[in-house]
Amino acid sequence: MSLDPARLIPMANAIRALSMDAVQKAQSGHPGMPMGMADVATVLWSNYLKYDASAPSWPDRDRFVLSAGHGSMLIYSLLHLSGFAHPTMEEIENFRQIGSPTAGHPENFLLPGVECTTGPLGQGLAMAVGMAMAERHLNSQFGDDLVDHRTWVIAGDGCLMEGVNHEAIGLAGHLKLSRLVVFWDDNRITIDGSTDLSTSENVRARFEATGWFVNSCDGHDYADIARAIDEAQAQDRPTLIACRTMIGRGAPNKQGTAATHGSPLGAAEVEAARKELNWQAAPFEIPDQVREEWRSAGSRGYEARTDWSTRLGDSEHKAEFERRMAGDLPEGFDLKEFVGDLVREPQKVASRKASENALAVINSRLPETVGGSADLTGSNNTKTEGLETFTADDASGRYVYYGIREFGMASAMNGMALHGGVIPYGGTFLVFSDYCRPAIRLSALQQARVVYVMTHDSIGLGEDGPTHQPIEHLQSLRAIPNLLVMRPADAVETAECWEIALQQKKRPSVLALSRQGLEQFRTEEAEENQCAHGAYRVKEAQAERRVILIATGSEVQLALACAEALEGRDIGADVVSMPCAELFDEQSPAYRDRILPNVGPEEILRVSIEAGTSFGWERYTMLNGLRIGIDGFGTSAPAPDAFEHFGFTSEAIVPKILAKLEA
Amino acid sequence: MSLDPARLIPMANAIRALSMDAVQKAQSGHPGMPMGMADVATVLWSNYLKYDASAPSWPDRDRFVLSAGHGSMLIYSLLHLSGFAHPTMEEIENFRQIGSPTAGHPENFLLPGVECTTGPLGQGLAMAVGMAMAERHLNSQFGDDLVDHRTWVIAGDGCLMEGVNHEAIGLAGHLKLSRLVVFWDDNRITIDGSTDLSTSENVRARFEATGWFVNSCDGHDYADIARAIDEAQAQDRPTLIACRTMIGRGAPNKQGTAATHGSPLGAAEVEAARKELNWQAAPFEIPDQVREEWRSAGSRGYEARTDWSTRLGDSEHKAEFERRMAGDLPEGFDLKEFVGDLVREPQKVASRKASENALAVINSRLPETVGGSADLTGSNNTKTEGLETFTADDASGRYVYYGIREFGMASAMNGMALHGGVIPYGGTFLVFSDYCRPAIRLSALQQARVVYVMTHDSIGLGEDGPTHQPIEHLQSLRAIPNLLVMRPADAVETAECWEIALQQKKRPSVLALSRQGLEQFRTEEAEENQCAHGAYRVKEAQAERRVILIATGSEVQLALACAEALEGRDIGADVVSMPCAELFDEQSPAYRDRILPNVGPEEILRVSIEAGTSFGWERYTMLNGLRIGIDGFGTSAPAPDAFEHFGFTSEAIVPKILAKLEA
């Protein structure tokens, strides 16, 4: 389509007007970025981006990621103008108001066309890397006919300064993700003022050092923007386009300054901008011709999409492709048979090893899994036999060597999961969940099925010591909404937890797995997935019940030993394994009361045993129950010595229980 | 001193022998890095590093940071050989055993000479940036006579791939920290195998892009190493020295492979290495001549140190310098007068603004504070009047524009605090505590006095929406050991919390502060700092006490409103403000029982009100109490609407309390 400024200037100014008016009305928001990047976005959305506004979830659409999510009015304007059903003009008028999908930052679960939630800086670009990986991977499996699209990103200085940017672009450069193009809004302004205040970096040279093609353009010159994009599309590696722009472009007195970044322009400046831009329409009104131009841009992809649908209809891969993109597991998929084998032939293995064994089955039956590890492949046990490596030359591999990039890995997995068609899982040590915690939070917020394989889940990792021993991590992760934290206690539970994780279409999971060997106590056939209850009784009191021991993961075997010692003293003790507290909390009150009757410690003493902080365990033990935990940092020692040091032996625990019973 | 290989080879081989023998004996550890970097370390510690083994805490010593902390046997060998009191040979023989200071990764709180705790990759180098900043800053205040040293770092590929590296070197390059030299152990091996598996980066070009001088050397050629160091010392900016090394150098069959990275070499290979190195001494024995050479290296700095002591003795700055380096506050420092003024003239301000007001007093009275923000200066209210900017040209400034680098900022603050002589504080939004969480954990583990100023501490920030609204963050931070999380409720509490934070010589603090205005309810003179109790009664029940409302921060005013409504129904209600749960937990049982009597809800119903997850609040409400919290993600809306939406109004809360009382 045409790059004629006479056509594009009013289109871009429509974005500027909507952005400044919506922020002004809300008395809150960020007009500077949308006004500065309006021209680049207009060229992209009117001439390059492959999409059909009438079909936002077309699988072969290009993905557009507004990494600088504070400029949310840019994408809301684009979606509205190009003809997406939402946001409506009313919704734009309700920018940042309760109940409107036009939230302060773009939320993928509120608006089709918003590919991912952005705002936490740097993560949009890092997720785009995952989307570009998923595209090449699916292309290798389904061919150009079905999968052949690009990923476009608008990023600001903040996105580039954040540490995750280094990890993300390193991975993208290494994998030569040529379908990825990043527009850098090079406006030389951050919140605190000029970028000179805090950085002296040669951004171009840094991207070149990591294998990117670096281009630049005048971000307010349509032909120059188009030239830069054309050149980018011809590359065999990812491209950064440095767009020289003026923040707040069009606001005559404030443009080019931090004053336009995060505050309304003010009524007078909005008025002045209208004059400067020669924009005569009232707030929230779009002249018919501008609207028509935008609508025709938004329907540019209609034919491509219908052609694609025809190809899909003719494809032998149709059913499988649709299943994969819908995120459905194969009909009847479960791990019952595998669990049955385990029950018949019990194993004493570390749960990280049990996870590998379960994964071997999963990976052989689910072609959509894409595994990886942040340089701990042999420790996380994430690479099962036959998984080939995802490389720059061959994206068909289902295993990614992410390098020492936990945050980049987690972000890429978010991007893959949101792209659809793959189920990503990736490993690191549980303690390093901190390194990717911002992305774990976004998995949960974005309702993305990502499986975090987090091994070495307690002081049981032994000699590596306090820096590597998680203490607060299990509880800190459990505090995140919409995230399943699962800590299986033996090989059967590990398989069950994997099954649960895969079934969560809208929820990420963390699997916390041991380094050390665990006895298998689940040796009887069960009709259903016991872990799906979150917590269940693994051993019933023999003598009159005075105690309920609640444990997770490697401490369940310890709880069983304590129970045996108590029964020896004629004190009845249930043992409850709680692989997933979140799922237990979702059970019916009747079920919960059956496992943990709501009676005080004078009747039944509840005792929790988990080799981590006791913080938060009052939810299950009651305040006057007993909590066996570790409320300081760990220690460097062989695992048995570390457990003994912190009182994780039945010899140390049972007397505490007895004392409490007698108190 | 001499670079004669005949002298240095045995010295370096002593490191290799101790490292492989200690790992072999422990059957656990990382021999590859110490053996690969033994030559570089020997040149540095015998010819350049300014230190005196007999005085590990000499303030003007060079700082040495083993950022690749898994190679801990390198620094243990260096400390032992050069004559530090610890580790003794017995302690080295007990490498990675319980109670020995030779932990799996180096811990600053276990061994003098270990400047910081390393192991979590990337953070050592990032802390070194802070140390180098502290050095220049103190130099600007105390002159070359007292402060004139360098910071040296050994980093591996992992340290360079982690995202924090980008933030750290960007900051160091911008500030032209010429006293910082980083040795990169360029061995082309990571845990998963060759670095080619996961990275294609031109590391040299990336460092150059951020303003570093980049040099290289043969890491096994003493003269070449020395040349590279000489050149580095002549620069006006930080230096990276790429040291081409062979991992596990000396182990003839395994060197150069990932097999030497994280496992014992095995008895046969240790034997073979002894032959290869021509090392005849038995395990844990050092030939006399080698020991003498190392001892003379370790006492090289004796004279420099005693000269320095003489200069200090003669200096007009002596008392102030010693106070600063000891980390003591000025005699009699407190904020009582400021608090008194507030009590007399109550203010309704956001606690972030109250924090700025307190900081204005603090910064005027404590010359050791160094503030900053990760590009949110105007939002975090961290820059008080008169604070000048710390720049490349002038390090005397006490305010750092850290840029959009939360993790880099937090790591630099750790480095500053550990260097001593300054008290760093820095700001970001509370939700972005996730971005620097690994460094917050290290503040706590390292017992470093860092003050995190975390504003926008709840849904009360309003329109920015779920990505910016903390939910799980307060509780997740409270779960970290040895960290004070303080959420003051008005201007007086904010000042009290600042006073507490500054008094913590061995503990970091997080101040969680509101964006929105808060009524001041503390309007009566108090003899002591009320917040120091962690929780205290701000309003006593008038009618017979049936309820205790426990609230923090902005929700205390809401609790007061609820109490008023309850009293209107003749239901007595205490209101307890709990600015710091950790400090409350440290109070005497008698005090705690006075505030929260240990009786069931049928006598006194406990209700918590905090605009964040309810997870963990059972510790204070009891299981059958009532928790008013937010157990999902936030929403984008003006603050009052958001609070109403989530039921944070007395109209919504009081009926819940009544229902519970009647149940």
Side-chain angles (χ1 to χ4, degrees), chain B residues 2 93 202 246 272 321:
Chain B
S2 149
E93 289 193 55
N202 180 339
M246 183 176 280
F321 182 82

Side-chain angles (χ1 to χ4, degrees), chain B residues 475-554:
Chain B
Q475 292 293 59
S476 297
L477 290 165
R478 289 179 184 130
I480 298 178
N482 198 44
L483 171 68
L484 295 187
V485 179
M486 294 190 271
R487 190 167 186 245
D490 73 357
V492 168
E493 282 199 0
T494 304
E496 288 184 340
C497 288
W498 260 111
E499 188 179 88
I500 293 165
L502 293 166
Q503 287 163 346
Q504 307 300 311
K505 280 180 78 167
K506 296 195 154 195
R507 192 150 60 168
S509 299
V510 170
L511 296 175
L513 302 170
S514 76
R515 178 187 183 216
Q516 73 274 24
L518 304 179
E519 291 288 350
Q520 183 178 322
F521 57 85
R522 285 280 300 281
T523 52
E524 285 174 35
E525 297 272 359
E527 293 233 335
E528 47 185 0
N529 185 322
Q530 293 295 305
C531 292
H533 295 111
Y536 65 102
R537 196 174 293 128
V538 298
K539 181 253 165 200
E540 199 153 358
Q542 301 301 304
E544 190 197 353
R545 181 171 67 179
R546 292 292 318 283
V547 175
I548 300 177
L549 296 154
I550 312 159
T552 75
S554 50

Side-chain angles (χ1 to χ4, degrees), chain B residues 306-319:
Chain B
T306 48
D307 287 353
W308 178 89
S309 293
T310 305
R311 292 197 299 275
L312 178 66
D314 296 342
S315 170
E316 55 175 330
H317 298 306
K318 181 170 190 291

Side-chain angles (χ1 to χ4, degrees), chain A residues 26-28 30 96-99 102-105 107 109 117-123 157-158 160-167 170-171 173-174 190-193 195-202 205-206 209-211 373-378 389 399 401-407 431-432 434-435 437-438 441-442 444-445 463-473 475-476 478-482 598 606 613-616 618-619 622-624 627 631-633 635-638 641-642 645, chain B residues 26-28 30 96-99 102-105 107 109 117-123 157-158 160-167 170-171 173-174 190-193 195-202 205-206 209-210 373-378 389 399 401-407 431-432 434-435 437-438 441-442 444-445 463-473 475-476 478-482 598 606 613-616 618-619 622-624 627 631-633 635-638 641-642 645:
Chain A
Q27 279 299 301
S28 162
H30 301 75
R96 294 183 154 231
Q97 304 308 303
I98 203 148
T102 49
H105 293 80
E107 312 286 359
F109 49 91
T117 291
T118 52
L121 291 177
Q123 291 195 64
D157 288 296
L160 269 48
M161 284 178 82
E162 289 285 1
V164 67
N165 183 256
H166 169 49
E167 302 183 17
L171 187 61
H174 179 67
T190 72
I191 294 176
D192 275 356
T195 51
D196 292 342
L197 277 176
S198 58
T199 181
S200 310
E201 179 186 314
N202 181 338
R206 179 168 69 89
T210 51
S373 167
D375 198 47
L376 289 167
T377 295
T389 306
Y399 195 79
Y401 286 105
Y402 284 105
I404 302 141
R405 302 182 180 108
E406 297 83 6
F407 195 177
V431 81
F432 298 132
D434 282 349
Y435 273 67
R437 191 173 170 91
R441 182 172 214 255
L442 271 197
L445 178 58
E463 294 88 344
D464 273 348
T467 53
H468 284 54
Q469 292 169 348
I471 295 291
E472 69 278 18
H473 299 78
Q475 292 293 60
S476 297
R478 289 179 184 130
I480 297 178
N482 198 45
N598 194 354
R606 301 188 193 176
T613 183
S614 70
F615 180 88
E618 291 84 356
R619 175 166 291 186
M622 304 185 137
L623 180 59
N624 296 314
R627 288 163 295 282
D631 291 319
F633 291 104
T635 193
S636 173
D641 296 348
H645 175 75
Chain B
Q27 280 299 298
S28 164
H30 302 75
R96 293 183 155 234
Q97 304 308 303
I98 203 148
T102 50
H105 293 79
E107 313 287 358
F109 49 92
T117 292
T118 52
L121 291 177
Q123 291 194 64
D157 289 296
L160 269 47
M161 286 177 80
E162 289 286 1
V164 68
N165 183 256
H166 169 50
E167 302 183 16
L171 186 60
H174 178 65
T190 72
I191 293 175
D192 275 357
T195 51
D196 293 343
L197 277 175
S198 59
T199 182
S200 309
E201 177 187 314
N202 180 339
R206 179 167 68 88
T210 50
S373 167
D375 198 45
L376 289 168
T377 296
T389 306
Y399 194 79
Y401 286 105
Y402 283 105
I404 301 139
R405 303 184 180 107
E406 297 83 5
F407 195 177
V431 81
F432 298 132
D434 281 351
Y435 273 68
R437 190 173 169 89
R441 182 173 214 256
L442 273 197
L445 178 58
E463 294 89 343
D464 273 349
T467 53
H468 284 55
Q469 292 168 347
I471 295 293
E472 69 277 19
H473 299 80
Q475 292 293 59
S476 297
R478 289 179 184 130
I480 298 178
N482 198 44
N598 195 353
R606 300 188 193 175
T613 182
S614 70
F615 180 88
E618 292 84 356
R619 173 166 292 185
M622 304 188 137
L623 181 58
N624 295 315
R627 288 162 294 286
D631 290 319
F633 291 104
T635 194
S636 172
D641 296 349
H645 176 75

Side-chain angles (χ1 to χ4, degrees), chain A residues 515-567:
Chain A
R515 179 188 182 213
Q516 72 275 25
L518 304 179
E519 291 289 352
Q520 184 179 323
F521 58 86
R522 285 280 301 278
T523 52
E524 285 173 35
E525 297 271 1
E527 294 231 336
E528 48 186 0
N529 186 323
Q530 293 296 304
C531 291
H533 294 110
Y536 64 102
R537 196 174 291 127
V538 298
K539 181 254 167 197
E540 199 152 358
Q542 302 300 302
E544 189 198 352
R545 181 172 66 181
R546 292 292 318 284
V547 174
I548 300 177
L549 297 154
I550 312 159
T552 75
S554 50
E555 284 70 75
V556 173
Q557 56 190 23
L558 175 58
L560 287 164
C562 292
E564 196 181 322
L566 291 169
E567 299 277 1

Side-chain angles (χ1 to χ4, degrees), chain B residues 14 18 80-81 89 279 281-282 284-291 294:
Chain B
L18 283 178
H80 174 78
L81 291 167
M89 189 60 93
W279 186 261
F284 308 110
E285 283 184 23
I286 304 296
D288 287 345
Q289 199 190 337
V290 177
R291 190 172 284 283
W294 265 116

Side-chain angles (χ1 to χ4, degrees), chain B residues 222-241:
Chain B
Y222 301 114
D224 202 40
I225 296 165
R227 173 200 53 75
I229 297 175
D230 288 336
E231 289 167 10
Q233 294 196 133
Q235 300 299 319
D236 63 351
R237 51 200 170 131
T239 295
L240 176 78
I241 302 177

